[in-house]
Amino acid sequence: MAKIDGITLEVMKNSFYTIAEEMGVTLIKTALSTNIKDRVDCSTALYTKDGELVAQAEHVPLHLGLMPSVVKEVLKMFPEEDLKPGDAILINDPYISGSHLPDIFMVSPIFHEGKLIAIASNVAHHVDVGGLAPGSMSVKATEIFQEGLRLSGVRVRKEGALDTEIIRLLKSNVRTGDEVLGDIYAQLAANSVAEQRLKDLIDKYSLEHIFNSMEEIINYSDRRMRAAVKEVPDGEYEFEDVLEGDGITEDDILVRTKVIVHGDEITVDFTGTNPQTTGPMNSTIGVTSACVYYAIKSLLEPDVPPNAGTYKCLNIVAPEGTIVNPKFPAPVSNANLNTSQRIADTIFGAMADVLPERSMAACSGTMTGFSIGGYNQEEEKYFSYVETYGGGQGALDDIDGMDGVHTNMTNTLNTPVEVIEQSFPFTVKNYCYIDGSGGPGRHRGGTGLQREIQMLEDGFSFTLTADRAKYQPWGLFGGEGGQTSQCTLFTSDGEEIKIKSKETRTVQKGDSIRLQTAGGGGYGDPKERSREAVERDIALCFISEEQAEKEYSYKK
C-alpha cells in the first residue's frame, strides 16, 4: 500500500464522512414518517467491499454499533459473485441483524466498472412492522414471531428494478403501509447518493487511492484506540445493575459486567448476568456489542474516528442464553430501549473508580418508548405514533447533566407538539421539564421531562416501554439519585390509573396519558455545589428553595 501522508488522510477521512452525512440528509429529507423526518430515528454508513466500517454519520449509537454485524451477515448470504449493480437488500431479522424488527436495514453494493468496490448501508426505525400491537413493540410478546414481519435478507431491488412482489408483501403485513413504503424508498435514495458520491471521488483520485485511504483510516483508528487503552491501569473492574421486569413479570433482571484491561486490549465479560427472559427484554449479541463499543469509546477516546479499527481491541464475553445473548426465538423488541441502556450504565459504573474524571452518573436509563396506534376515523386509515422520550443526563466530574435529552445509546430528536397535533388524533396538554427531578450533587443530574397527550377518538392501543420507575438512576462519589419515572392515565370519567413501566392497554376518547421520565444522577457531594449554581437552579425553577435548603444546605 502506498504511504498516505497525514493531510491527505484527513482529507479522505472527511470525504468519506461527508458521504455518510449526505446519505443521512437524503434519508431524513425524503422520508414519510414523523419518526424519521422529524425524530431522525435512522442511521447511515459507508463500508469497504468486505463489510468493514469506513465512515458513519453522527446518528443513533445503537444503530451504528450493530450495523457492521448486519453488513457482514448480508455479505455471507450474498457473496460478491451473487451481487449485481443496482441490487438492494432488506433485512430486519434480530437474530441476523442484531436489532429489533422495526429497524429495517437497507444494504446496497456499489460497483465500479463491473467490480464491487464498497457497500452503502442505512437503517430506519419504521413505525410499524405488524405484530401484537401498533408500533410492533408489545411488552407482552413471548416469542419473536409475535413481534412482527421478519425479513431475513431479501432483494427489494434487483439490478435496478424494484421487486413489486416484495413491496406488496411488505405493504400487506403492516398497519401503515404507505408510511413504511415511503420510508423504504427514502432508504433506497440514501444509498444511491452514496454510490454517486463515491464514484465522484474515484473520478477525482483513483480507485487504488480510495482503497488505500479506507485501509489506512481503519488502521489509524486502531492505533489510537490501543494507545488509549494502554493509559488505563491493568485490572478487573466490576459493576451490576438491574432492569425492572420484562413486561410479563416485574421481577428484577440482573446485568453483571466485568471490564478486564490488559495491555492494549479490553474484554467486557457479562458472565453472571440473568438468563434470557420470557418477555421482550432480551438483547441480541449485536445490540450488546454496540453498547460495549459505545461505552468504551466514550470513556477512552471519544474523538477517534469511528470505524472498524476503533473496535479491534475490544473483546466481548456474552454467555448464550442470557439476557445479553438470547437463544432463538426469544422476543427482543424492548431490549433496544431498556436493556441496551443498562448495559451501557454498568460499563460506566465499572470504570468509575479507575476513570473518575471521565465517568458519568446514571442517566435516565431508558429510551422510554411510547407508541399509540389505531384507526383514525376522520382520515379513514390506520396510524402509528412512535416516539422515545428523553430524560435527565447523569452529571459528570466538571459539569451538570443535560436536561430532558436522549443519552447513551440513542440521540434522536423529539416530535414537535405541532407535528403531533397535525399528524395524529391527539392533543398535547403539556410538555415541560420536571422541576427538582435531577439528582443532587456537586454537579446536578439533568431533569426529566413530562408530556401529557389526550385522545381525540376511541379505541386506540398504547404501549409504554420504560424503566427506572422503581430504582433511582444512581449518583457517583456522593451524588444522589435522580427522580424515578412514572406514567399516569387520566380517564375521561375522572379515574386516575398508575401505569406500569411496561404495559400495553386500550385508551378511549377523552383519556389522557401523562408520562414523566427519570432525572439523571448527581456527581459529588451536594454540599460542595457552589452557591452561585444553587441560586441559578432556584431562579430557573430546576429546584425549589426548600430543596436547596434540604439537599444543598443552602441558606438565603
Side-chain angles (χ1 to χ4, degrees), residues 193-208:
V193 165
E195 180 177 14
Q196 184 56 55
R197 294 296 177 261
L198 190 59
K199 288 180 178 179
D200 291 342
L201 275 184
I202 294 170
D203 291 341
K204 185 175 182 179
Y205 300 103
S206 69
L207 183 58
E208 182 183 11

mmCIF file of all heavy atoms in Angstrom, residues 193-208:
data_model
loop_
_atom_site.group_PDB
_atom_site.id
_atom_site.type_symbol
_atom_site.label_atom_id
_atom_site.label_comp_id
_atom_site.label_asym_id
_atom_site.label_seq_id
_atom_site.Cartn_x
_atom_site.Cartn_y
_atom_site.Cartn_z
ATOM 1 N N VAL A 193 -27.270 7.931 -3.241
ATOM 2 C CA VAL A 193 -26.394 9.093 -3.066
ATOM 3 C C VAL A 193 -24.972 8.638 -2.765
ATOM 4 O O VAL A 193 -23.997 9.177 -3.304
ATOM 5 C CB VAL A 193 -26.935 10.004 -1.941
ATOM 6 C CG1 VAL A 193 -25.866 11.000 -1.490
ATOM 7 C CG2 VAL A 193 -28.178 10.743 -2.398
ATOM 8 N N ALA A 194 -24.840 7.641 -1.891
ATOM 9 C CA ALA A 194 -23.501 7.133 -1.552
ATOM 10 C C ALA A 194 -22.787 6.611 -2.788
ATOM 11 O O ALA A 194 -21.588 6.867 -2.981
ATOM 12 C CB ALA A 194 -23.619 6.032 -0.506
ATOM 13 N N GLU A 195 -23.511 5.897 -3.626
ATOM 14 C CA GLU A 195 -22.913 5.348 -4.846
ATOM 15 C C GLU A 195 -22.390 6.454 -5.753
ATOM 16 O O GLU A 195 -21.250 6.386 -6.237
ATOM 17 C CB GLU A 195 -23.951 4.508 -5.589
ATOM 18 C CG GLU A 195 -23.420 3.885 -6.876
ATOM 19 C CD GLU A 195 -24.447 3.002 -7.554
ATOM 20 O OE1 GLU A 195 -25.628 3.084 -7.182
ATOM 21 O OE2 GLU A 195 -24.061 2.235 -8.454
ATOM 22 N N GLN A 196 -23.191 7.488 -5.950
ATOM 23 C CA GLN A 196 -22.776 8.559 -6.845
ATOM 24 C C GLN A 196 -21.592 9.339 -6.275
ATOM 25 O O GLN A 196 -20.641 9.669 -6.989
ATOM 26 C CB GLN A 196 -23.942 9.524 -7.107
ATOM 27 C CG GLN A 196 -23.628 10.629 -8.099
ATOM 28 C CD GLN A 196 -23.144 10.092 -9.431
ATOM 29 O OE1 GLN A 196 -23.823 9.275 -10.070
ATOM 30 N NE2 GLN A 196 -21.964 10.506 -9.871
ATOM 31 N N ARG A 197 -21.626 9.630 -4.981
ATOM 32 C CA ARG A 197 -20.551 10.425 -4.368
ATOM 33 C C ARG A 197 -19.238 9.648 -4.329
ATOM 34 O O ARG A 197 -18.157 10.231 -4.488
ATOM 35 C CB ARG A 197 -20.956 10.862 -2.962
ATOM 36 C CG ARG A 197 -22.125 11.821 -2.928
ATOM 37 C CD ARG A 197 -21.788 13.150 -3.613
ATOM 38 N NE ARG A 197 -22.949 14.017 -3.634
ATOM 39 C CZ ARG A 197 -23.748 14.169 -4.680
ATOM 40 N NH1 ARG A 197 -23.490 13.520 -5.819
ATOM 41 N NH2 ARG A 197 -24.794 14.974 -4.627
ATOM 42 N N LEU A 198 -19.305 8.337 -4.114
ATOM 43 C CA LEU A 198 -18.077 7.551 -4.109
ATOM 44 C C LEU A 198 -17.478 7.497 -5.514
ATOM 45 O O LEU A 198 -16.247 7.588 -5.681
ATOM 46 C CB LEU A 198 -18.351 6.138 -3.591
ATOM 47 C CG LEU A 198 -17.106 5.290 -3.312
ATOM 48 C CD1 LEU A 198 -16.202 5.951 -2.274
ATOM 49 C CD2 LEU A 198 -17.500 3.885 -2.850
ATOM 50 N N LYS A 199 -18.320 7.417 -6.534
ATOM 51 C CA LYS A 199 -17.820 7.424 -7.913
ATOM 52 C C LYS A 199 -17.200 8.783 -8.254
ATOM 53 O O LYS A 199 -16.210 8.857 -8.995
ATOM 54 C CB LYS A 199 -18.949 7.085 -8.879
ATOM 55 C CG LYS A 199 -19.359 5.618 -8.812
ATOM 56 C CD LYS A 199 -20.485 5.287 -9.774
ATOM 57 C CE LYS A 199 -20.824 3.801 -9.714
ATOM 58 N NZ LYS A 199 -21.940 3.445 -10.634
ATOM 59 N N ASP A 200 -17.753 9.846 -7.686
ATOM 60 C CA ASP A 200 -17.163 11.177 -7.883
ATOM 61 C C ASP A 200 -15.747 11.223 -7.309
ATOM 62 O O ASP A 200 -14.831 11.813 -7.908
ATOM 63 C CB ASP A 200 -18.020 12.259 -7.211
ATOM 64 C CG ASP A 200 -19.361 12.463 -7.890
ATOM 65 O OD1 ASP A 200 -19.524 12.038 -9.050
ATOM 66 O OD2 ASP A 200 -20.260 13.056 -7.254
ATOM 67 N N LEU A 201 -15.568 10.585 -6.130
ATOM 68 C CA LEU A 201 -14.240 10.546 -5.510
ATOM 69 C C LEU A 201 -13.264 9.745 -6.368
ATOM 70 O O LEU A 201 -12.092 10.117 -6.506
ATOM 71 C CB LEU A 201 -14.324 9.927 -4.116
ATOM 72 C CG LEU A 201 -14.687 10.824 -2.934
ATOM 73 C CD1 LEU A 201 -14.626 10.021 -1.638
ATOM 74 C CD2 LEU A 201 -13.773 12.041 -2.846
ATOM 75 N N ILE A 202 -13.725 8.643 -6.918
ATOM 76 C CA ILE A 202 -12.862 7.825 -7.777
ATOM 77 C C ILE A 202 -12.423 8.621 -9.002
ATOM 78 O O ILE A 202 -11.257 8.576 -9.423
ATOM 79 C CB ILE A 202 -13.584 6.533 -8.192
ATOM 80 C CG1 ILE A 202 -13.821 5.652 -6.959
ATOM 81 C CG2 ILE A 202 -12.781 5.764 -9.244
ATOM 82 C CD1 ILE A 202 -14.735 4.471 -7.220
ATOM 83 N N ASP A 203 -13.361 9.354 -9.590
ATOM 84 C CA ASP A 203 -13.023 10.184 -10.746
ATOM 85 C C ASP A 203 -11.995 11.258 -10.375
ATOM 86 O O ASP A 203 -11.127 11.612 -11.183
ATOM 87 C CB ASP A 203 -14.289 10.859 -11.302
ATOM 88 C CG ASP A 203 -15.232 9.866 -11.953
ATOM 89 O OD1 ASP A 203 -14.787 8.759 -12.291
ATOM 90 O OD2 ASP A 203 -16.429 10.194 -12.102
ATOM 91 N N LYS A 204 -12.074 11.756 -9.152
ATOM 92 C CA LYS A 204 -11.160 12.817 -8.706
ATOM 93 C C LYS A 204 -9.775 12.268 -8.379
ATOM 94 O O LYS A 204 -8.757 12.914 -8.642
ATOM 95 C CB LYS A 204 -11.746 13.514 -7.482
ATOM 96 C CG LYS A 204 -10.952 14.714 -7.005
ATOM 97 C CD LYS A 204 -11.670 15.419 -5.861
ATOM 98 C CE LYS A 204 -10.896 16.651 -5.399
ATOM 99 N NZ LYS A 204 -11.600 17.366 -4.298
ATOM 100 N N TYR A 205 -9.729 11.083 -7.792
ATOM 101 C CA TYR A 205 -8.450 10.474 -7.406
ATOM 102 C C TYR A 205 -8.223 9.212 -8.250
ATOM 103 O O TYR A 205 -7.934 9.310 -9.429
ATOM 104 C CB TYR A 205 -8.454 10.152 -5.902
ATOM 105 C CG TYR A 205 -8.651 11.375 -5.033
ATOM 106 C CD1 TYR A 205 -9.892 11.641 -4.443
ATOM 107 C CD2 TYR A 205 -7.614 12.267 -4.791
ATOM 108 C CE1 TYR A 205 -10.085 12.766 -3.637
ATOM 109 C CE2 TYR A 205 -7.782 13.392 -3.994
ATOM 110 C CZ TYR A 205 -9.025 13.639 -3.422
ATOM 111 O OH TYR A 205 -9.212 14.735 -2.637
ATOM 112 N N SER A 206 -8.373 8.067 -7.637
ATOM 113 C CA SER A 206 -8.290 6.785 -8.345
ATOM 114 C C SER A 206 -8.873 5.725 -7.430
ATOM 115 O O SER A 206 -8.966 5.914 -6.206
ATOM 116 C CB SER A 206 -6.843 6.420 -8.693
ATOM 117 O OG SER A 206 -6.119 6.110 -7.508
ATOM 118 N N LEU A 207 -9.250 4.588 -8.002
ATOM 119 C CA LEU A 207 -9.813 3.513 -7.181
ATOM 120 C C LEU A 207 -8.761 2.996 -6.196
ATOM 121 O O LEU A 207 -9.075 2.717 -5.037
ATOM 122 C CB LEU A 207 -10.309 2.375 -8.081
ATOM 123 C CG LEU A 207 -10.985 1.200 -7.368
ATOM 124 C CD1 LEU A 207 -12.180 1.675 -6.551
ATOM 125 C CD2 LEU A 207 -11.411 0.138 -8.375
ATOM 126 N N GLU A 208 -7.518 2.889 -6.630
ATOM 127 C CA GLU A 208 -6.462 2.421 -5.739
ATOM 128 C C GLU A 208 -6.298 3.362 -4.553
ATOM 129 O O GLU A 208 -6.122 2.929 -3.407
ATOM 130 C CB GLU A 208 -5.139 2.304 -6.502
ATOM 131 C CG GLU A 208 -4.000 1.780 -5.633
ATOM 132 C CD GLU A 208 -2.670 1.744 -6.372
ATOM 133 O OE1 GLU A 208 -2.582 2.306 -7.483
ATOM 134 O OE2 GLU A 208 -1.709 1.162 -5.823
#
